[in-house]
Amino acid sequence: MFRTALRNVFAHKARLLMTAFAVMLGVTFITGSLVYGDSLNQATTAKATDGYERIAVNVSAEADPAHHGRPGNLDARTATALAKLPGVAAAAGRVDGFAAVADREGKPLGNAKDARGGNFAPAADGKDPAYRFTEGSGPTGKGTIALDEATAAKGGYRVGDTVRVGTNKGASSYTLSGIFRTDGTKLPAGGSLTLFADTTAQKFFLEPGRYQNIELTATPGTDVTQLLSRVEPVLPKSTSAVTGARLAQIKANLATSGTSTMSQILVGFAAVALFVATFLISNTFTMLVARRTRELALMRAVGATREQVRRILLTESLLVGAIASVAGLAVGTGVAALLRTLFADTPAAPLVLTPTTVIISMLVGTLLPMIAAWLPIRRAMAIPPVAALSAAEHTAPARPGSLRTGLGAALVLTGTAAVLYGALGTGKDARTVIGLGAALTLTGTIGLIPLLSRPVVTLFRPLLTRLAPVHGDLAVRNTVRDPRRTGATAAALAIALTLASGLSVLGASATQYLDRATTHALSADYVVKSAGGQRMTPTTAAPLKKLAGATYSPLNQSTGYRLGGSDAVLTGVNPDTIGKLLRYDVVEGSLDSLAEGQIAVADFKAEQAGWHVGQTLPLEKRNDQRGSVTIGAIYQADEQSDLMPSITAPDSLVARYDSAPSTAGILVATDGGTSRAARAGVTHALGDNPTLSVLDQADIRAQDSRGIGDQLNVFYALLSMALMIAALGIANTLAMSVLERRKELGTLRALGLDRAGVIRMIRLEALLIGALGATLGTVMGVFLGWAVGRTLQANVAGYELVLPWGRLALTILIALTGSLLASLWPARRAARVDIPSATAAQ
């Protein structure tokens, strides 16, 4: 049986080629996902733990409320005491924080959120074991710094150059004293690291004379566990110690928590691609078995049992899957290498091909064709040999089966009801219900597509017959001739289009919501924010007083209040200017009440607490300061807005209760509006600080929607694999159809249809199949996008459904273009059918 199956595979290699290619694409996707995920995990772990082997014990300080929540209790005396313990070679006090390096144009170098600064802590020999200098030396004075090698190269800086560096305390220019290499304990991937002298770093990041942690290195032969036991008794209060190995394990777990999510997303899309490939494989074997009905019946007639024939066919599918899996495994490993190159932030490390990945890829690639081929083989085995031998050609039924149709209709109705229930209900598990309903609806639609193919294709008939009367009519007739085949082919495309359309609807709706939530209330020309998401203080805005023609107000957020018995966050603003910078839609009271020391409250906050204008509320701060405030205005606001406060207070009120509020942003308006000169003026007034970003409304919209756009682009790229497999399914279906219709095509040619007409007819058939899948997929995608969006409206005020007509049309156009391209080879084969031999075929 194995030899027979092998012979049949090589005998039908052209027909099985696309099936093998579809399996290979699916295996490529899943192999690439697993290899990339494993490689990323290993690289991230290696990067996160690099260098901890030099640390024997790490001593860290807990947050000290007496020092504004910053670490305390570790100072030079503690470091000296630890250095004197037996087995300690050196004790290096460390302090670090946010520090952004500016390029020669004043913009931050590297990833601003990972811009770090630290202290240079030399040992007795004048060297710091954490850093290996390639040029120059470590900083020794308050006017010098050192940069990591990558940041210096990116900025084009050499030893002796002047470099501008910004911290939360402001920006200054420094002389570059050295360039160094370091390990993962200090430098995050894609970030920058600036070293300051010890006292300078303490002033910027903590307090003079204090450290956040102390790193102990051990003398050769020292047992780390025993050293830890010596360290713990001499530790000050509110400090703790851990071995370097344990700290490395903690860092590795934190670093890989995000990479596992990315791997799961990739595997999820690989599953979609494999699911789509199932239709292609099943369709191919359906047509192959139908074409070989007489051959299989002859085998049964000469003595082969039904089980033997079934095993031969299953062995064929197994061989095709095994060959494709080996190819997919090799190509998938290459795809993983390509992904690592495309994502520049991925730490460099060798590719990891684990035995688990090999086993999973081979099992999926070999079992999937067998599962997909089971049903067509089962149907073929149900045909009696005598009936098969008596027919010139056994064809699939022209109508969809009643059982299939009934089951599909039941699933669609049940799934649609579940989706509607989840969308219109208010349960906390609404999205889970919608997901289950979506799965049922998609599965049911797959069963109903053969029934839906005729009416949907008929909708396009007037357009086709008007453009090409003869060829269009022939294409429509050929498309609906075998509803099962057409439906199975279009189903693969419909699944991909459902996901793409649903993501487009959600993405467009979320983008519009964010746009409205972030800029609708903004009247100011610019918003100043911290480039790395670090803390700003009210003093950050002080230099703007000297900027001629500027109107500004910081948004000073102060937390830890109990207002009228409810937790509250107060945002202090300048009462004289805030009305010109933020658009307050006041529904009750007046915003002028801010100048009188009263507060203004967002409508959602007032509704939740039952407050009204004129009401006086008790105000209590966590440090036991007490007072009272009066509500002078209530205004409309979006609960998710980053700019519009929930409680707006005069800055004098906030300063009374909080001496160090955190500034969330600075609103600035200039006399001339937005311009390059105005932006430069604001930037210069703030000290050309690379830690601050001056954003106009377009920048804010782009910044807030960039994350959604980037994620959608990644998802679209992943879905393109499913679209490619669906296009292969169309090509395979048309190719098989051409083989079955050789006599018909020969007759049409003999009656006067030229080769160009045959090509046009086959292409129109492909477009009809593509239009069927695209229509059903787009309708289901919009429906599911609406349903998921409805669940967001309860928690996200202002979220509305947006239909991105342009993106939906582009998706449909891509699907139709792929269908047209898929028809090129089958159309060419159909046009080259030999008329005499085709018409003479029985």
Side-chain angles (χ1 to χ4, degrees):
M1 285 188 293
F2 180 80
R3 288 196 300 270
T4 303
L6 187 62
R7 177 185 59 80
N8 288 334
V9 167
F10 285 105
H12 303 99
K13 55 182 179 293
R15 303 180 190 180
L16 292 169
L17 180 62
M18 289 187 185
T19 299
F21 192 56
V23 176
M24 187 196 76
L25 285 178
V27 174
T28 294
F29 206 156
I30 198 166
T31 300
S33 301
L34 293 174
V35 171
Y36 177 74
D38 291 339
S39 302
L40 182 60
N41 277 335
Q42 178 171 296
T44 303
T45 300
K47 178 67 177 176
T49 58
D50 179 29
Y52 281 100
E53 66 278 358
R54 63 176 171 78
I55 301 175
V57 175
N58 184 78
V59 179
S60 58
E62 299 174 3
D64 186 356
H67 294 86
H68 308 294
R70 290 175 289 182
N73 288 354
L74 286 181
D75 52 23
R77 288 178 299 177
T78 306
T80 302
L82 292 172
K84 294 178 180 180
L85 292 175
V88 175
R94 300 294 183 189
V95 62
D96 62 71
F98 174 66
V101 182
D103 61 16
R104 298 188 184 274
E105 296 181 357
K107 298 178 181 179
L109 278 172
N111 190 350
K113 70 181 181 65
D114 288 325
R116 307 298 300 170
N119 64 315
F120 178 67
D125 59 359
K127 297 180 180 180
D128 190 329
Y131 309 104
R132 303 177 297 280
F133 279 82
T134 58
E135 295 182 43
S137 58
T140 55
K142 64 179 182 179
T144 59
I145 60 165
L147 291 178
D148 69 275
E149 195 172 42
T151 302
K154 195 178 298 182
Y157 291 124
R158 303 296 300 272
V159 172
D161 288 350
T162 299
V163 183
R164 194 161 184 80
V165 181
T167 67
N168 291 330
K169 299 293 180 64
S172 299
S173 296
Y174 302 86
T175 300
L176 184 62
S177 66
I179 297 173
F180 61 86
R181 294 177 181 172
T182 189
D183 49 48
T185 63
K186 305 301 178 186
L187 181 62
S192 62
L193 178 58
T194 306
L195 291 184
F196 299 88
D198 197 59
T199 55
T200 305
Q202 289 176 332
K203 181 182 69 174
F204 284 159
F205 307 131
L206 195 58
E207 291 180 2
R210 292 187 176 273
Y211 297 110
Q212 292 162 328
N213 61 290
I214 299 174
E215 297 174 352
L216 304 182
T217 52
T219 56
T222 300
D223 183 272
V224 175
T225 304
Q226 293 180 0
L227 179 59
L228 179 62
S229 65
R230 297 189 200 110
V231 168
E232 289 175 336
V234 299
L235 291 181
K237 183 181 178 181
S238 299
T239 59
S240 59
V242 66
T243 65
R246 174 57 182 161
L247 190 59
Q249 183 180 0
I250 295 172
K251 295 292 185 181
N253 293 337
L254 291 174
T256 56
S257 60
T259 60
S260 59
T261 301
M262 173 60 76
S263 299
Q264 290 170 5
I265 292 174
L266 291 173
V267 172
F269 278 93
V272 172
L274 287 168
F275 186 56
V276 172
T278 303
F279 292 95
L280 170 57
I281 299 164
S282 180
N283 216 17
T284 301
F285 274 95
T286 298
M287 292 181 285
L288 278 176
V289 171
R291 290 286 299 170
R292 296 165 57 191
T293 301
R294 297 189 68 191
E295 172 192 335
L296 299 176
L298 183 60
M299 293 176 63
R300 301 246 332 257
V302 298
T305 66
R306 179 179 299 179
E307 186 61 31
Q308 286 177 319
V309 175
R310 180 184 290 112
R311 274 186 275 177
I312 289 173
L313 293 174
L314 288 175
T315 304
E316 290 180 27
S317 64
L318 176 65
L319 289 172
V320 171
I323 295 171
S325 298
V326 172
L329 194 62
V331 177
T333 306
V335 168
L338 179 61
L339 286 173
R340 191 180 59 180
T341 303
L342 292 177
F343 293 106
D345 290 341
T346 302
L351 291 176
V352 178
L353 181 61
T354 64
T356 302
T357 298
V358 175
I359 293 171
I360 291 175
S361 299
M362 292 299 296
L363 281 177
V364 168
T366 52
L367 292 179
L368 182 64
M370 296 179 66
I371 295 172
W374 175 261
L375 187 59
I377 293 172
R378 182 174 176 272
R379 285 201 300 261
M381 292 300 97
I383 302 173
V386 175
L389 288 171
S390 63
E393 181 178 310
H394 181 75
T395 59
R399 296 180 181 178
S402 58
L403 177 61
R404 176 191 182 116
T405 302
L407 182 59
L411 290 175
V412 168
L413 290 175
T414 304
T416 303
V419 172
L420 291 173
Y421 176 79
L424 301 177
T426 58
K428 63 179 181 179
D429 296 326
R431 287 174 209 166
T432 303
V433 174
I434 290 175
L436 178 60
L440 293 175
T441 302
L442 281 174
T443 306
T445 303
I446 292 167
L448 278 182
I449 280 185
L451 180 66
L452 297 173
S453 60
R454 188 178 297 274
V456 174
V457 169
T458 303
L459 290 176
F460 298 103
R461 184 169 192 164
L463 177 62
L464 292 180
T465 53
R466 180 175 299 180
L467 296 176
V470 175
H471 311 98
D473 185 66
L474 288 172
V476 170
R477 292 173 181 271
N478 291 328
T479 303
V480 299
R481 173 184 296 180
D482 191 338
R484 283 187 179 178
R485 179 186 301 174
T486 300
T489 306
L493 190 61
I495 293 171
L497 265 292
T498 297
L499 295 174
S501 302
L503 288 173
S504 295
V505 170
L506 288 173
S509 302
T511 299
Q512 176 175 290
Y513 161 73
L514 287 174
D515 183 20
R516 186 167 55 245
T518 54
T519 61
H520 170 72
L522 183 63
S523 301
D525 297 321
Y526 299 104
V527 178
V528 180
K529 291 188 174 183
S530 173
Q534 303 298 313
R535 185 175 183 269
M536 294 190 297
T537 64
T539 58
T540 307
L544 291 172
K545 293 179 180 178
K546 301 178 182 179
L547 182 62
T551 302
Y552 73 95
S553 174
L555 301 175
N556 298 323
Q557 286 189 345
S558 183
T559 60
Y561 292 93
R562 294 283 294 177
L563 180 61
S566 301
D567 291 334
V569 176
L570 270 59
T571 300
V573 301
N574 185 337
D576 299 327
T577 61
I578 192 61
K580 303 174 185 177
L581 303 171
L582 279 182
R583 187 178 294 109
Y584 282 84
D585 297 325
V586 179
V587 295
E588 189 179 355
S590 172
L591 199 64
D592 294 336
S593 60
L594 290 174
E596 301 171 4
Q598 298 180 356
I599 63 173
V601 181
D603 53 356
F604 67 85
K605 185 71 174 178
E607 183 179 353
Q608 291 171 0
W611 297 338
H612 58 82
V613 169
Q615 183 177 1
T616 299
L617 302 172
L619 180 66
E620 180 182 352
K621 184 71 170 158
R622 282 179 186 160
N623 55 9
D624 293 331
Q625 286 182 283
R626 299 176 185 273
S628 62
V629 294
T630 301
I631 300 176
I634 294 177
Y635 53 89
Q636 293 181 348
D638 191 323
E639 193 170 354
Q640 307 298 322
S641 175
D642 290 334
L643 290 176
M644 184 61 73
S646 61
I647 300 177
T648 305
D651 47 14
S652 58
L653 176 65
V654 170
R656 188 187 313 162
Y657 291 91
D658 192 347
S659 60
S662 178
T663 300
I666 306 170
L667 307 176
V668 185
T670 57
D671 285 345
T674 57
S675 66
R676 179 175 295 183
R679 188 196 294 261
V682 174
T683 302
H684 184 67
L686 292 170
D688 294 315
N689 192 336
T691 68
L692 301 178
S693 296
V694 181
L695 309 172
D696 60 19
Q697 293 194 19
D699 295 330
I700 295 172
R701 283 193 294 267
Q703 189 179 74
D704 289 336
S705 61
R706 183 180 300 122
I708 294 176
D710 291 345
Q711 289 181 7
L712 285 177
N713 290 334
V714 171
F715 292 156
Y716 289 144
L718 295 173
L719 284 174
S720 64
M721 186 71 74
L723 285 171
M724 187 182 301
I725 295 174
L728 285 174
I730 295 174
N732 206 24
T733 296
L734 293 175
M736 291 295 182
S737 178
V738 167
L739 288 173
E740 292 178 357
R741 293 156 49 195
R742 288 185 72 252
K743 185 174 182 178
E744 174 190 324
L745 292 171
T747 303
L748 289 173
R749 291 290 314 282
L751 292 175
L753 189 66
D754 58 7
R755 289 188 173 183
V758 173
I759 291 175
R760 190 176 299 116
M761 179 183 68
I762 299 297
R763 288 179 179 175
L764 289 176
E765 290 181 35
L767 285 176
L768 281 172
I769 295 175
L772 173 61
T775 300
L776 295 176
T778 302
V779 170
M780 288 190 294
V782 171
F783 174 61
L784 295 177
W786 164 82
V788 175
R790 282 279 305 181
T791 65
L792 298 175
Q793 289 179 343
N795 300 319
V796 183
Y799 180 94
E800 296 178 356
L801 175 69
V802 175
L803 295 180
W805 297 109
R807 180 157 289 193
L808 291 175
L810 178 61
T811 305
I812 293 173
L813 180 61
I814 291 174
L816 294 179
T817 302
S819 303
L820 189 62
L821 292 174
S823 69
L824 295 180
W825 179 61
R828 185 181 178 189
R829 289 195 64 180
R832 296 173 63 182
V833 167
D834 182 67
I835 298 175
S837 61
T839 53
Q842 297 296 322

